[in-house]
Amino acid sequence: MLLKTISITQKEKVVPVPKVYPPASIHNDVRSISLLPTIAKVFESIVGKWLLSFIEPYLDGNQFGCRRSTTHALIAILHTWMTAVDSHGSVCSVSVDFQKAFDLVDHNLLFSKLLQYSLPNFLLLWFAFYLSNHQQRVRANSSLSTFRKLNGAMPQCSFLGPLAFLILIDDLSTGCPLHKYVDDTTLSELVRPKQLDTYIPTYLANLLTWAVQNGMEINTSKTKEMVHGRFAITDLPFLNISL
């Protein structure tokens, strides 16, 4: 009953924080920071760590968010790349940024994926209440809006927000090595010496298919491609792919 009560009364304030000064666009230059009640933050971390203990063995080994540090992620990526370059090969990589990823989380889709894990029923019920009874309002300076019930999205400044996204993105697979840090994803094609073509367009198309199926959008301005090592291809086709 305590789990259910705390979840039902979960409310948060959202403070818009500019990414750049002065912000030119409310859609692109402002980050929404969720201010959760202290007791809710403490309780979320307890339940979140409990939840993580059940799903940890099943998560993608190259997902570093909520599990290991950014340093671990960078070391893993560089090791993959340097191994290929040291073997006289090359690497084509694409670093993908999902636009407003936490705001686009579909609760029904998320919960359907959560059901695939061997979780106790009481945790599933609590998480369902958590997703379906979340409310928020916006604070701008001293002004406050009224509370609105969320039909989707996850709060960013909470323990369960990133953890929920880990569950959502866990089944993302493109056919090439992937390194994930919550919603930041890097595709790496290891190109053999004298290889004259690249399959990055196919791998990227697989990612775009997953994004459409899961309600995600690619932020093209923050998605970057790089080539590491000596590459025989002069015209890289994946540079012209329309995201």
Side-chain angles (χ1 to χ4, degrees):
M1 182 60 67
L2 177 61
L3 294 179
K4 180 177 177 181
T5 302
I6 292 180
S7 182
I8 287 178
T9 56
Q10 173 76 322
K11 296 181 178 181
E12 66 186 61
K13 286 185 291 187
V14 174
V15 178
V17 176
K19 298 179 183 179
V20 296
Y21 291 91
S25 168
I26 193 172
H27 299 289
N28 301 320
D29 299 337
V30 175
R31 186 185 306 278
S32 300
I33 302 299
S34 301
L35 301 180
L36 302 175
T38 301
I39 187 172
K41 291 174 69 175
V42 173
F43 195 76
E44 273 195 30
S45 65
I46 294 172
V47 177
K49 291 174 182 177
W50 199 358
L51 185 64
L52 182 59
S53 68
F54 285 99
I55 68 174
E56 173 76 28
Y58 306 101
L59 291 177
D60 184 350
N62 280 334
Q63 171 62 265
F64 295 87
C66 296
R67 306 167 74 197
R68 285 157 283 178
S69 68
T70 52
T71 301
H72 286 94
L74 291 172
I75 289 174
I77 293 174
L78 288 175
H79 176 73
T80 301
W81 291 351
M82 292 300 100
T83 299
V85 173
D86 289 345
S87 301
H88 307 289
S90 304
V91 179
C92 287
S93 68
V94 181
S95 297
V96 177
D97 181 78
F98 290 103
Q99 183 168 296
K100 305 287 184 182
F102 282 52
D103 295 336
L104 297 178
V105 173
D106 184 311
H107 288 174
N108 291 327
L109 179 60
L110 172 63
F111 197 73
S112 68
K113 294 188 179 186
L114 194 65
L115 289 172
Q116 299 174 15
Y117 298 94
S118 301
L119 295 175
N121 285 337
F122 68 88
L123 270 181
L124 286 171
L125 289 172
W126 183 89
F127 204 74
F129 279 117
Y130 174 86
L131 293 176
S132 61
N133 293 279
H134 219 83
Q135 299 181 44
Q136 68 175 207
R137 61 180 176 179
V138 178
R139 187 187 76 187
N141 297 325
S142 59
S143 300
L144 283 172
S145 70
T146 57
F147 277 107
R148 295 286 299 272
K149 185 177 179 179
L150 297 180
N151 295 320
M154 296 296 299
Q156 294 193 43
C157 296
S158 68
F159 191 95
L160 287 176
L163 181 58
F165 199 87
L166 259 62
I167 297 168
L168 182 73
I169 202 174
D170 188 61
D171 61 357
L172 170 59
S173 176
T174 62
C176 71
L178 288 180
H179 294 87
K180 309 172 188 173
Y181 197 91
V182 191
D183 58 328
D184 293 317
T185 303
T186 300
L187 294 74
S188 301
E189 181 189 8
L190 310 182
V191 182
R192 299 184 304 274
K194 299 182 180 180
Q195 181 176 327
L196 298 179
D197 54 6
T198 174
Y199 299 101
I200 274 289
T202 300
Y203 303 142
L204 189 55
N206 292 339
L207 183 141
L208 293 174
T209 299
W210 179 92
V212 171
Q213 294 173 345
N214 289 269
M216 292 289 111
E217 298 177 4
I218 306 299
N219 187 341
T220 55
S221 65
K222 292 184 179 180
T223 296
K224 307 296 181 181
E225 69 278 350
M226 291 188 293
V227 177
H228 316 272
R230 295 183 178 180
F231 207 99
I233 302 174
T234 56
D235 181 22
L236 296 177
F238 74 92
L239 294 176
N240 301 317
I241 285 184
S242 177
L243 294 174

